[in-house]
Amino acid sequence: MSAVSSSSGAVQLSGLASGIDWTSIISEMLTIAKAPETQMTAEQTTDNQKNTAYQYVGTTLTTLQGDITTLSNPSFFQSRTTSVSNSSVASATASESSPLGNFTFSASQLASDSVQLGTSVASKPLSATNNVSSVVIGSAGFATPVTAGTFTVNGQSVSVSTTDTLQSVFDKINTATSGAVTATYDSSTDEISLNSTNPIVLGSSVDTSNFLQAAQLYNNGQNAITSTSALGGINLKSALDSANLSTAITDGGSGNGEFLVNGVQINYNASTDTVNDVLQRINDSAAGVTATYDGTSNQFKLTNNTTGDSGISLSDVTGNFLAATGLSGGALQTGNDLKYSINGGGTQISQSNTIDASSAGLSGLSITAQGLGTTTIGVNSDTSTISTAIQKFVTDYNAVQSYISTQTSAQPGSSSSATSSVTAGLLTGDLDVENIAFDLRQFVGNVASGSSGGVQTLSDLGITTDGNDNLLTVSDQTTLNSAIANNLGAVENLFTNSTNGIATNLNTYLKGVNGTNGTLANDESSMTKEVASLATSITNLNAQITSEQTELTNEFTAMEEAINTINTQKQYLNSYFGGSSSSSASSSNAAPTAAGSTIG
């Protein structure tokens, strides 16, 4: 007998007093009561599966709708492709408005940008005189800062620190080579020279200082080696007033320096802004130029961001930035305009190497000159793109039809018996989905009005159906390609005709079926509501069963308690009356009474 809990919390044993296994009775009753839940849960599962199926149908229709949107646009069939006989002369692109045909393009001069070149020596030399005994190499203004370490001359190691003077380094070279190599500095050229009676050999793989590179001293197999260019350079990361410029930069003494480039105001502070800061400020402005510093030529440059023969205007307002960097005192290297001709016509001018309808007069055609010479540019219909789009439409149309067919058709079961079972598709009998499949087939079978050249249906493009299903097949690729190449207008009409074009009508249809308030959206909403309703019913059923279980348990427990009370009273009476009769009989030798016999 099983244990249960009474409503009062006391543990009772099922049938202990009554002899009835009422917990089993309750369990069987509850099992029967829960039977509807199994059915409702199964219905929920099916509804959720249907919802998933509706969503997948919608997804495949959305993909198909993308194809249809493309094919319903007449301009798509005007897609162009270009060919260039000599790509080193030009490249070209064409839009749907470009006229078909071949064009000859010739370029006799390419467009280039104008450059404002600053004066060639923007930085100070290492020393104003040949005496470099007080020139500390760590702060001497080398274009490349010197690092401490060792370097090698004629196989001898020379050790330097950034606090050494340039003269002390010269002395160390002389000492290390036992006087064989002497070093000097020429302030007029800002260069260092090494001299010896024998060829000089510089550097080794174990050098740790860059002195030789900073001094621009490189092996030449000769007895004399001289720096390849002036050594003083601009420190781009230093503040303007300590960047080693040959002319000190000032900002008017207020930190509010200002200059104009092409009329655009640029501000600077000589003590807090670095050279890089100001160059970047110019580049980020609307001045339309790129500012750079060329360490090799030791000069600043401003380069127009656009090509063509145009100048660059410069003006210091407060301070002398442009003058100190040599930009205002430099020379303008003017750019060139593109000089070209089309189809052997007269020479035309363009500031840009790219010409379009606005300059060349060729609608939709853009040509970019790459070099000098002549090339033939062909503009043709983009038949490959059009063919690919039509074939993609067929593929995506078949994906919709195949899925719908799978979900609405009865499938053979897995039984191996003579009479095999048949399983209905998830959406079998769903007229909404079956109608979509039917309607799609009707639309693709349309005959387009106004067509000419024998292209009125998809079959005229080599796209057929076998009549056994709703699928399409590109059965003749040659027919499709030929129609696009030779009768593109009729192909366009087949899809885009405003009255009965295949793509036009399908586009309208799919917007209704697959839209926010379309058939599929309504079906999904209906399934979602039904699933929610079933969930509510299951919750209510379980609540009712729980309540009934509690009520039945309490009733049976009360019965057990009542029977138990009666049995207790019976035992008491038995004990009481049975004990009194026995005592009387013993003393009087009388027979048991009828009453005592009955109770006993």
Side-chain angles (χ1 to χ4, degrees), residues 46 100 112 117 249 372 459 518 595:
T46 300
L100 301 175
S112 60
L117 298 173
I249 290 183
L372 304 182
S459 62

Side-chain angles (χ1 to χ4, degrees), residues 65-66 68-70 72 501-512:
Q65 194 166 2
I68 293 302
T69 299
T70 298
S72 63
I502 292 174
T504 302
N505 289 341
L506 271 175
N507 199 22
T508 302
Y509 173 73
L510 291 178
K511 286 180 180 178

